[in-house]
Amino acid sequence: MQCAGYPEDKLRSLADRLPCRETQVTTLLSLMGEPDQYSYPSIFIYGHRATGKSHVVFSVMKDLELPYTFVDCVECVSPALLFHRVLLAFFGPDAAASLPRCPSLSDFVRLYKQMSSKTPATQTRFIILDRAERTRDMDFSLLPALLRLQELVSDNVTVILLSQVVWEKFRPNTGCFEPLLFHFPDYNKADLVQILSRDHHPSYTPELYASYINILLGVFFSVCRDLRELRHLAALNFPKFCEPLEKGEAKESDIHKLWRNIEPHLQRAMQTVYLREVSSMQWKEQQMDEKETTTPRGLSAHAHIELPYYSKFLLIAAYLASFNPARTDRRFFLKSHGKIKKTNFLKKHEKTSNHLLGPKPFPLDRLLAIFYSVVDSRVAPTASIFSQIMSLVSLQLLTQIGHDDQLDAPKYKCAVSMDFILAISRTVNFDAVKYLYDFL
Amino acid sequence: TPRHATPSIPSRSAPARKPGNVLEEARARLHVSSVPESLPCREQEFQDIYNFVESKVIDGTGGCMYISGVPGTGKTATVHEVIRSLQQASEQDEIPQFRFIEINGMKMTDPHQAYVQILQKLTDQKATPDHAAALLEKRFSAPAPKKETTVLLVDELDLLWTRKQNVMYNLFDWPTRRNARLVVLTIANTMDLPERIMINRVASRLGLTRMSFQPYTFKQLQQIITSRLNRVKAFEEDALQLVSRKVAALSGDARRCLDICRRATEICEHSAGLQKGSGLVAMSHVMETLDEMFSSSYITAIRCASLQEQLFLRAVIAEFRRLGLEEATFQQVFVQHQALCRVEGLQPASVSEGLAVCQRLGSCRLLLLEGSRLDLLLRIRLNVSQDDVLYALKAD
């Protein structure tokens, strides 16, 4: 890496620390120019998650000891915080303290100008805004002003915006100064292998770790190219991979044997750890205890909750009311029904699967009618039945539609999944599928 | 710092240059801010307002008058002229003494500031709006035998509108008090303002003393310019006539007319530097000025646009024709754009380039766009007529 104005050795160490990003670093450095030269007013860097945008910019700034401030826009709930951070980083706490209580953009520019005339920039100052898409939601003049801050404060300052969103979605309708666009491409498989192999375990050879990474990517590359996620998975599953070596069942050269050992384990990890059904801690403990034969019960397996007897029926009734057309109720719920067949008396939109279109609202009367039909015993419509409906609403198992009237014919929607309902109906020995029009 | 310092601006180090030649002299005379000695073509209006105010001052009563007219028809200038001559008359003891104060709705941040300004001009007191309103109320309703008449000019009346209209109500209610001796002259642009925005009790207090200033005809405009120039020979007769006819046909705005004349003298001066002309403003100079000031800049903007931008506008029109609507999404227009690119033998633009082209046209307001966050789904409308776009694109 050759770049005028910066010390050789630092550039070399930088190149070592940022593998597979040499071209990006060189381009960035050439955009920045020598430290005392004026740089381009604003640079917009975009790319997917975990493509090293912040990392590259941050390490370049830090290693080359440039004056910079790194601001995450998520933290800046108001532009005042952003202004404060910038002034604090460039001119010290005195400047930041002299900002008024609710600083406007012009306050910031005035104060910056005042300060920079006292201590003019000997090097380009950099303002790095991470997750810059948030600036669009702040004051509408903030983003256009930041893009031409160099011109506004007449100081050698460059604003670097980092985002996962493309520039087209940023451009304000009134137009603005166009920043330089700079794309960080995704890592390909070879890049990922190279980067992940760098953090190998000290007690094993790098070759072993590289082959482990290859196996890992063979399983996960088709679903995940996120470096952070892959690194997490690699660290989590490596002890399991090394188990046969520690037990002496295999040698480091028996890659095939190791692969056979780890592959089902990784497949299972995809369904559990990757979806965060099982936390990393639990996963580690399971590996320690060697209990992986019993399938771990994840978060979604815990998805059934204990409900009172009639609440269960109310919920089932609500589900049936939501996903059945109202015209079919007579056939399903009258005691003296004949043969149930899919007939042509339904309208066209009612014939398409209701489970694809989502739940439909139903009135309270229909809910109660279905409820009395599915419950075998006689239930008095007591206050407790009605309060159970309201508590189902407050548990967010039902949702109330149209808050115009609380008492007179309120409408509800069922907000639970089919699996949940089937689990519940199993506990009360009720065959819900038999009553669903879609599954007739 | 002194407590009651008079605000001042720094004076210039050398005095302003006197006009050197005829054209500069004409330019100084034609400046909108140089008030003429008399207002030509507004004699009737002058007389009406003069009689109204004079009778109120002599009788010691109060009243309201509503003056309307499109901008640049001499409303404020006429009222000022009336007040000036009334003040002269009162100095010669022909009529009783009176005070004149003036407020302008556009110079206030809030309608309630009107109270503060009136009070300050009447008594040099400073007060909050509420307090000022109470003080004024007391002042205008308390009997005072030797009180002099106050003439209050309210310019830009429509900006004093509030939800409860209490500012307007008070302004028109004070003159009806027995001891107020207040004459309120109100100026606004629209003739039916009292009927449109005022509630009944405000409109009825304003009364029916109305006056509307008609737009100037071309003869009047010509007369105004000639009287302004006052025998400084800088314009050819035909050139003056052309300016006044053009302006009278469009708006009848005297300020516009003066601006055009001033610009024409500048153009004349510039071209005289290049080649020796007669030194007078000729028809050609006026034509050039009119082109400059009246022609639509949209067509020039379309002509100067880049090839891709022109293609995009063409695609917009093609898509509108296809849909039969005046609105399309970017996605639909972009398909047309790519087809047009192929027809023209150009490399089809990418989506980001297309969007950049579209948003650039949107930022010069040739297109009306929604927020850029919608990218492919943002709806596009034309801000100019389709004929204008086609004319601009075809003319080359």
Side-chain angles (χ1 to χ4, degrees):
Chain A
M1 209 172 350
Q2 289 287 321
C3 218
Y6 301 102
E8 276 299 306
D9 50 332
K10 280 186 181 171
L11 287 179
R12 210 171 299 122
S13 76
L14 196 63
D16 286 344
R17 282 188 46 204
L18 302 170
C20 312
R21 281 289 173 247
E22 284 87 5
T23 48
Q24 277 75 27
V25 172
T26 342
T27 320
L28 188 64
L29 284 174
S30 54
L31 285 182
M32 283 156 45
E34 289 179 35
D36 53 339
Q37 290 170 342
Y38 263 74
S39 167
Y40 200 77
S42 46
I43 302 170
F44 181 82
I45 299 178
Y46 63 108
H48 278 156
R49 245 170 86 113
T51 45
K53 302 181 293 294
S54 320
H55 182 61
V56 165
V57 174
F58 188 68
S59 353
V60 165
M61 295 294 154
K62 201 165 176 222
D63 284 16
L64 302 179
E65 287 164 6
L66 301 169
Y68 75 96
T69 169
F70 195 88
V71 185
D72 195 335
C73 290
V74 175
E75 293 168 19
C76 299
V77 288
S78 78
L81 292 168
L82 189 135
F83 301 155
H84 188 267
R85 294 275 286 273
V86 171
L87 289 177
L88 186 69
F90 290 160
F91 306 110
D94 289 348
S98 53
L99 265 180
R101 184 179 283 267
C102 288
S104 64
L105 190 61
S106 65
D107 284 330
F108 169 67
V109 170
R110 178 177 52 78
L111 211 60
Y112 191 107
K113 253 180 154 167
Q114 201 181 325
M115 289 294 161
S116 71
S117 65
K118 275 186 214 156
T119 51
T122 50
Q123 290 179 312
T124 312
R125 291 173 169 142
F126 290 94
I127 300 174
I128 302 153
L129 301 177
D130 200 1
R131 283 182 264 195
E133 61 270 10
R134 294 297 180 115
T135 52
R136 299 178 297 175
D137 302 326
M138 295 184 201
D139 193 6
F140 69 96
S141 59
L142 182 68
L143 184 61
L146 284 175
L147 290 174
R148 56 196 315 160
L149 192 65
Q150 191 174 86
E151 189 183 325
L152 282 175
V153 300
S154 50
D155 184 44
N156 189 1
V157 62
T158 291
V159 178
I160 299 180
L161 304 159
L162 306 174
S163 180
Q164 295 177 32
V165 183
V166 288
W167 170 244
E168 281 73 50
K169 293 199 169 220
F170 276 76
R171 204 177 281 132
N173 265 355
T174 44
C176 62
F177 181 84
E178 293 284 313
L180 280 181
L181 304 186
F182 185 12
H183 182 231
F184 271 50
D186 281 351
Y187 295 114
N188 56 23
K189 201 166 180 176
D191 290 344
L192 285 174
V193 170
Q194 193 188 336
I195 296 169
L196 288 172
S197 310
R198 284 160 66 89
D199 36 28
H200 60 84
H201 205 271
S203 47
Y204 297 98
T205 58
E207 291 76 32
L208 180 78
Y209 197 79
S211 57
Y212 165 64
I213 291 300
N214 264 321
I215 294 169
L216 185 88
L217 284 179
V219 175
F220 280 104
F221 189 68
S222 55
V223 292
C224 173
R225 284 155 205 218
D226 188 338
L227 179 64
R228 269 181 288 182
E229 194 75 40
L230 286 172
R231 178 174 275 165
H232 174 67
L233 287 167
L236 210 57
N237 293 310
F238 190 60
K240 180 75 186 169
F241 180 75
C242 298
E243 230 169 49
L245 298 175
E246 279 169 10
K247 285 182 185 164
E249 290 167 0
K251 288 199 290 291
E252 285 201 8
S253 53
D254 299 343
I255 296 299
H256 188 69
K257 202 167 185 185
L258 289 171
W259 176 76
R260 260 212 323 244
N261 177 43
I262 194 71
E263 218 262 341
H265 184 75
L266 291 178
Q267 291 287 3
R268 204 163 44 243
M270 199 189 301
Q271 283 154 21
T272 51
V273 191
Y274 182 55
L275 299 175
R276 302 285 189 277
E277 297 259 316
V278 172
S279 74
S280 319
M281 195 66 124
Q282 283 173 322
W283 185 252
K284 250 184 204 162
E285 279 170 10
Q286 276 171 19
Q287 286 179 3
M288 296 282 186
D289 304 347
E290 309 271 334
K291 275 202 311 191
E292 82 271 15
T293 43
T294 59
T295 45
R297 282 159 58 82
L299 280 176
S300 63
H302 290 293
H304 91 270
I305 37 177
E306 285 302 322
L307 284 175
Y309 184 69
Y310 287 129
S311 284
K312 285 179 182 173
F313 273 110
L314 279 171
L315 199 56
I316 292 166
Y319 189 82
L320 296 177
S322 257
F323 287 95
N324 276 348
R327 290 163 175 239
T328 58
D329 282 357
R330 225 151 58 116
R331 308 201 146 215
F332 282 125
F333 302 114
L334 279 188
K335 294 295 178 197
S336 59
H337 58 74
K339 218 168 85 183
I340 300 175
K341 258 173 66 182
K342 274 207 178 182
T343 46
N344 288 329
F345 70 94
L346 288 175
K347 285 179 190 159
K348 197 174 178 197
H349 69 92
E350 285 173 335
K351 274 194 239 167
T352 53
S353 169
N354 288 302
H355 279 83
L356 285 180
L357 298 173
K360 303 222 167 14
F362 53 87
L364 179 64
D365 300 343
R366 189 167 164 231
L367 172 69
L368 289 177
I370 295 178
F371 171 67
Y372 287 125
S373 157
V374 294
V375 177
D376 285 333
S377 56
R378 271 191 67 85
V379 190
T382 53
S384 98
I385 295 290
F386 288 102
S387 69
Q388 282 183 35
I389 296 178
M390 280 321 287
S391 60
L392 285 177
V393 171
S394 62
L395 287 171
Q396 298 185 346
L397 299 172
L398 298 185
T399 44
Q400 197 171 358
I401 310 284
H403 297 274
D404 43 358
D405 202 340
Q406 296 283 331
L407 288 178
D408 184 28
K411 289 193 159 188
Y412 300 97
K413 232 182 200 184
C414 186
V416 294
S417 67
M418 176 128 180
D419 297 335
F420 188 89
I421 283 295
L422 290 182
I424 281 189
S425 49
R426 222 172 288 127
T427 61
V428 292
N429 287 324
F430 178 81
D431 190 4
V433 180
K434 220 171 77 185
Y435 288 89
L436 280 170
Y437 183 73
D438 286 346
F439 300 97
L440 212 59
Chain B
T1 53
R3 273 196 68 190
H4 296 291
T6 332
S8 65
I9 54 167
S11 54
R12 42 173 114 203
S13 51
R17 210 156 52 84
K18 286 265 185 279
N21 57 19
V22 183
L23 285 174
E24 279 176 24
E25 171 82 31
R27 201 145 60 229
R29 283 169 169 278
L30 286 174
H31 198 283
V32 181
S33 68
S34 71
V35 183
E37 300 80 34
S38 72
L39 283 172
C41 317
R42 286 291 180 228
E43 290 80 13
Q44 185 58 48
E45 285 85 354
F46 175 86
Q47 204 54 51
D48 286 352
I49 301 175
Y50 189 92
N51 291 343
F52 176 79
V53 180
E54 190 190 29
S55 66
K56 299 290 180 199
V57 171
I58 291 174
D59 295 351
T61 54
C64 299
M65 185 177 201
Y66 177 72
I67 302 166
S68 64
V70 292
T73 46
K75 302 179 292 293
T76 313
T78 309
V79 173
H80 280 149
E81 186 75 14
V82 166
I83 298 298
R84 210 173 324 140
S85 39
L86 280 169
Q87 272 163 345
Q88 272 173 9
S90 75
E91 273 166 27
Q92 290 157 7
D93 285 336
E94 288 167 16
I95 58 167
Q97 290 282 328
F98 71 95
R99 287 191 66 171
F100 173 64
I101 49 180
E102 182 185 0
I103 58 170
N104 189 330
M106 214 176 264
K107 290 183 187 167
M108 291 168 212
T109 50
D110 180 80
H112 294 97
Q113 289 290 320
Y115 299 133
V116 179
Q117 292 203 5
I118 295 171
L119 186 73
Q120 194 174 16
K121 283 175 179 162
L122 272 178
T123 62
D124 270 340
Q125 259 180 298
K126 275 189 183 172
T128 58
D130 287 342
H131 189 211
L135 286 177
L136 286 173
E137 179 78 34
K138 208 166 115 191
R139 182 187 167 93
F140 286 126
S141 47
K146 280 195 272 178
K147 192 151 68 176
E148 57 182 9
T149 306
T150 312
V151 179
L152 172 64
L153 170 62
V154 184
D155 216 340
E156 313 284 356
L157 178 71
D158 40 352
L159 293 172
L160 293 183
W161 187 87
T162 51
R163 181 173 290 278
K164 289 170 83 179
Q165 309 200 353
N166 46 0
V167 179
M168 281 183 178
Y169 177 81
N170 278 331
L171 282 180
F172 303 144
D173 189 43
W174 290 330
T176 61
R177 307 281 166 80
R178 180 179 296 179
N179 305 306
R181 292 192 161 207
L182 179 66
V183 182
V184 179
L185 302 173
T186 56
I187 299 181
N189 286 340
T190 45
M191 193 151 67
D192 57 345
L193 187 79
E195 284 72 35
R196 232 163 11 95
I197 67 168
M198 293 183 196
I199 50 179
N200 283 336
R201 63 191 169 102
V202 178
S204 75
R205 275 174 177 75
L206 175 58
L208 294 170
T209 322
R210 310 256 176 104
M211 170 174 289
S212 95
F213 278 60
Q214 296 304 318
Y216 289 113
T217 60
F218 87 93
K219 280 215 174 105
Q220 290 172 327
L221 285 174
Q222 209 171 349
Q223 202 182 336
I224 290 170
I225 302 172
T226 338
S227 80
R228 281 271 182 142
L229 284 173
N230 195 16
R231 286 197 291 281
V232 173
K233 181 67 183 159
F235 279 83
E236 287 176 8
E237 280 304 314
D238 292 346
L240 273 189
Q241 188 161 354
L242 179 65
V243 173
S244 41
R245 274 189 189 272
K246 273 277 183 191
V247 174
L250 272 175
S251 60
D253 185 341
R255 279 179 280 191
R256 188 91 170 146
C257 193
L258 295 173
D259 283 344
I260 292 171
C261 290
R262 275 161 46 76
R263 178 67 191 142
T265 58
E266 279 169 11
I267 289 180
C268 174
E269 203 165 42
H270 180 70
S271 61
L274 300 176
Q275 81 224 351
K276 282 290 152 204
S278 61
L280 289 187
V281 180
M283 284 285 267
S284 58
H285 302 135
V286 173
M287 289 296 281
E288 202 178 330
T289 320
L290 290 172
D291 259 7
E292 215 172 76
M293 296 182 77
F294 281 118
S295 71
S296 147
S297 50
Y298 284 122
I299 290 174
T300 326
I302 296 174
R303 281 200 189 143
C304 300
S306 71
L307 184 59
Q308 287 282 349
E309 285 165 351
Q310 291 184 345
L311 268 187
F312 194 85
L313 283 173
R314 210 171 276 173
V316 169
I317 289 181
E319 187 61 26
F320 284 178
R321 295 233 167 114
R322 193 182 72 82
L323 291 171
L325 292 172
E326 292 284 289
E327 192 176 84
T329 61
F330 172 74
Q331 206 169 5
Q332 294 167 320
V333 174
F334 187 65
V335 172
Q336 292 277 355
H337 184 177
Q338 284 198 315
L340 275 177
C341 277
R342 291 208 185 85
V343 169
E344 298 279 324
L346 297 167
Q347 183 75 28
S350 70
V351 179
S352 340
E353 286 165 344
L355 209 52
V357 164
C358 174
Q359 284 168 343
R360 229 176 78 80
L361 289 172
S363 66
C364 359
R365 308 297 290 163
L366 285 169
L367 299 178
L368 295 176
L369 302 178
E370 289 182 300
S372 57
R373 250 178 256 199
L374 295 167
D375 52 10
L376 284 181
L377 297 177
L378 75 87
R379 279 200 292 267
I380 297 175
R381 280 186 293 146
L382 271 178
N383 198 21
V384 274
S385 76
Q386 293 197 10
D387 297 334
D388 281 1
V389 177
L390 287 176
Y391 169 73
L393 291 175
K394 205 169 280 178
D396 51 56

